[in-house]
Amino acid sequence: MGAGHHHQLYRAGDTLVHRLPPQCKLVAVAAFAIVVVATPRERFWAFCGYLLLLATVAAIARVPPGHVLRRMVVELPFVLFAFAIPVIGLGERITVWGVSLSVDGLWASWNILAKATLGVIASILLAATTEPRGMLLGAQRLRMPQLLVQIATFMLRYLDVVLDSMRRMRVARESRGFQARDIRQAPILAKSAGALFIRSYERGERVHLAMLSRGYTGSMPILHDISADVRQWLAAGALPLAAAAVLFLT
Amino acid sequence: MTLEVRDLAYAYPDGTQALFGVDLRIARGERVALLGPNGAGKTTLVMHLNGILTAGHGTVRVAGLEVGKETLREIRRRVGLVFQDPDDQLFMPTVREDVAFGPANMGVRGEELDRRVRDALDRVGMLDAIDRPPHHLSFGQRRRVAVATVLAMDPEILVLDEPSSNLDPASRRELAQILRSLDVTVLMVTHDLPYALELCERSLILSGGVIAADGPTRELLADESLLTTHRLELPYGFAVPSPGT
């Protein structure tokens, strides 16, 4: 079984950050992101301050820089976009290494890069210290609609099952001499994807029957009490509060 | 009577008639096998036992309570259905939550819930796996947890759909030991005839939508022409041991 390969974002640990209830961390990261986004792009030192704050959180949670850097690849499309803005931007221009760049574009580019990077790092730290399951419990606690939480919970449970049946279908295709070389093989892959969809849909129906058989009436019983006390809220709130302080001081 | 089915008939919405008047009675503490070839209506019958399908004609009673819209909740507590594919049955992120799902839906909370979960897992020998995600368990282990998920609801009758399918010989034997150790009424749907012989004194043959035979498993399986008529076969080299051996 491809057990748990999708949980690579999470790094098991028992630090202060790991122990905080997930709902506190979710709120803290969201609040931090709001402070970051609200910061005027000219306040260069404020952004440095935020980065320092995140580095502190990472140090407390014992998340090594390599872990964060590798997972930042997800930001790449935004980075490429950000690099294109100064080239195609309008208004006053300056020449850097023989390339004419828009000053406004450069600022816009810096704005996107700095804010996106800080947001991504904060999210990576959240994911590294909170199990996916905990994240959902936290979301439920924060009154996220039941239905969305249930859908995400099932996705978490059945991702491996679906990936496994996808792998079996690939093996079955290749065992009969199939190789995806170019676009002409696309219809076969599309049909496989269709079959996979139907199978998953049918499984969904069977799971629903199994749930009904055990008395499901539309809402999941809440089995975990993950209430947070004031001290935990304060600990989690330290990050956005410190960020707000940095914003006012710089 | 723990289970009493009377003159049950059912046709699917597309008009296909699956059951043509099924009559059966299972007493408390019995372990009964429901045998039948593919397409005999076994699954359709099982779906009636806890009200997932509603009878077109006839009645189903579980410990005296008739299956109907008003009684669904209590009926589903009384009938513990174990599905064939444990991945259909185990849908929660951890074993603990999955076993707790049924009793929690019935309003059990706190220490009592925890006690039930532990007790059910202990009875199938899976207490050690309580905090593991179901997809990290072997197939045989998952099937045992699936049994625990309904045991936790304290059912009157355990209904197992093809319990031995896809199990390796060791897991198959372990499951048999567990089923034998449980003090509950069991209806086991299968076409694994040796398994039926091993676990159930009495068998029913469902064929063509009616109960075609009802008697001691040993006698039914020794009747070659009966088996042939209903597309049932003993595995190659297997003979029903004569009584006393």
Side-chain angles (χ1 to χ4, degrees):
Chain A
M1 273 180 297
H5 288 309
H6 54 283
H7 303 150
Q8 286 163 349
L9 284 170
Y10 180 69
R11 259 181 80 86
D14 187 29
T15 67
L16 173 69
V17 187
H18 282 85
R19 280 195 301 270
L20 282 177
Q23 67 268 34
C24 304
K25 288 189 266 188
L26 281 167
V27 170
V29 168
F32 175 78
I34 290 171
V35 176
V36 170
V37 171
T39 309
R41 59 192 188 184
E42 294 80 9
R43 301 251 195 112
F44 178 77
W45 291 109
F47 291 106
C48 294
Y50 301 151
L51 189 64
L52 205 65
L53 286 175
L54 290 179
T56 315
V57 174
I60 297 171
R62 302 222 179 88
V63 179
H67 178 95
V68 178
L69 285 174
R70 272 196 302 279
R71 279 152 190 83
M72 282 177 68
V73 178
V74 70
E75 203 195 342
L76 214 59
F78 297 94
V79 174
L80 293 177
F81 175 67
F83 277 126
I85 301 175
V87 182
I88 55 176
L90 302 171
E92 186 191 340
R93 297 185 87 85
I94 52 163
T95 306
V96 183
W97 293 322
V99 183
S100 165
L101 298 172
S102 148
V103 174
D104 251 3
L106 277 173
W107 273 115
S109 172
W110 152 252
N111 193 33
I112 291 177
L113 265 186
K115 291 178 180 176
T117 306
L118 288 166
V120 168
I121 295 177
S123 310
I124 291 172
L125 289 175
L126 172 67
T129 56
T130 318
E131 275 187 284
R133 175 70 189 136
M135 212 89 87
L136 292 174
L137 290 172
Q140 194 169 16
R141 188 88 199 174
L142 294 170
R143 302 269 184 281
M144 184 165 146
Q146 269 260 349
L147 204 56
L148 293 182
V149 177
Q150 285 182 30
I151 291 171
T153 310
F154 286 126
M155 200 182 73
L156 203 61
R157 165 65 181 92
Y158 285 103
L159 193 59
D160 275 333
V161 175
V162 173
L163 286 179
D164 208 42
S165 70
M166 201 160 93
R167 190 186 49 76
R168 282 202 306 274
M169 287 166 90
R170 181 176 54 78
V171 170
R173 278 199 307 268
E174 289 174 6
S175 308
R176 287 187 280 156
F178 174 82
Q179 271 182 315
R181 276 181 302 265
D182 55 47
I183 191 76
R184 277 171 299 167
Q185 271 85 35
I188 308 279
L189 294 176
K191 279 173 196 144
S192 297
L196 187 66
F197 174 76
I198 304 251
R199 280 191 202 180
S200 307
Y201 185 85
E202 286 175 343
R203 181 180 294 282
E205 288 187 324
R206 292 198 304 272
V207 170
H208 185 235
L209 285 185
M211 292 170 71
L212 288 179
S213 297
R214 285 197 273 151
Y216 175 74
T217 49
S219 66
M220 293 301 230
I222 292 177
L223 303 168
H224 289 269
D225 187 29
I226 51 164
S227 57
D229 56 32
V230 179
R231 205 172 40 81
Q232 287 167 318
W233 276 111
L234 282 177
L239 175 69
L241 289 177
V246 169
L247 175 58
F248 284 110
L249 293 176
T250 50
Chain B
M1 274 305 125
T2 295
L3 180 67
E4 193 172 11
V5 178
R6 265 199 203 157
D7 204 23
L8 179 67
Y10 180 76
Y12 278 98
D14 67 354
T16 321
Q17 185 90 18
L19 301 175
F20 292 87
V22 171
D23 281 289
L24 67 91
R25 291 154 73 86
I26 295 176
R28 196 181 182 83
E30 267 192 299
R31 266 203 307 269
V32 178
L34 181 67
L35 312 173
N38 288 336
K42 296 190 302 271
T43 307
T44 310
L45 175 55
V46 166
M47 294 294 185
H48 279 89
L49 301 185
N50 75 347
I52 284 178
L53 294 178
T54 344
H57 181 262
T59 56
V60 177
R61 284 174 184 275
V62 182
L65 187 67
E66 185 169 332
V67 176
K69 274 214 161 62
E70 285 76 38
T71 56
L72 269 191
R73 193 181 154 87
E74 176 58 18
I75 287 292
R76 286 177 179 165
R77 184 196 68 74
R78 293 186 184 187
V79 179
L81 208 57
V82 180
F83 287 75
Q84 186 172 355
D85 185 347
D87 274 330
D88 294 342
Q89 180 119 18
L90 308 177
F91 43 79
M92 296 292 275
T94 65
V95 167
R96 180 197 298 272
E97 289 168 88
D98 217 302
V99 179
F101 182 84
N105 277 329
M106 299 177 335
V108 182
R109 291 285 186 280
E111 269 178 38
E112 165 68 7
L113 183 61
D114 193 53
R115 190 191 60 72
R116 282 218 201 181
V117 170
R118 290 180 163 278
D119 182 56
L121 283 170
D122 192 38
R123 286 165 83 185
V124 299
M126 288 300 294
L127 192 52
D128 289 344
I130 188 163
D131 284 317
R132 294 178 65 190
H135 57 268
H136 284 194
L137 304 175
S138 76
F139 194 85
Q141 291 175 318
R142 269 181 281 168
R143 174 139 310 145
R144 276 149 66 186
V145 173
V147 172
T149 62
V150 297
L151 284 181
M153 296 174 76
D154 195 16
E156 296 279 339
I157 181 167
L158 199 59
V159 180
L160 302 144
D161 192 4
E162 297 292 352
S164 62
S165 67
N166 291 327
L167 293 183
D168 59 28
S171 313
R172 188 183 138 94
R173 179 183 46 73
E174 284 161 5
L175 184 67
Q177 280 168 350
I178 288 163
L179 292 178
R180 223 179 279 118
S181 73
L182 299 175
D183 182 26
V184 287
T185 313
V186 171
L187 178 66
M188 191 171 111
V189 179
T190 188
H191 38 222
D192 181 345
L193 304 185
Y195 214 51
L197 180 65
E198 190 182 341
L199 286 168
C200 306
E201 287 251 300
R202 176 182 161 212
S203 286
L204 309 165
I205 295 181
L206 183 70
S207 181
V210 291
I211 299 291
D214 179 352
T217 309
R218 188 181 299 276
E219 281 175 24
L220 296 188
L221 297 194
D223 187 343
E224 206 170 313
S225 70
L226 177 73
L227 295 185
T228 315
T229 315
H230 301 296
R231 279 188 68 78
L232 291 167
E233 278 175 31
L234 289 166
Y236 175 76
F238 186 89
V240 180
S242 55
T245 51

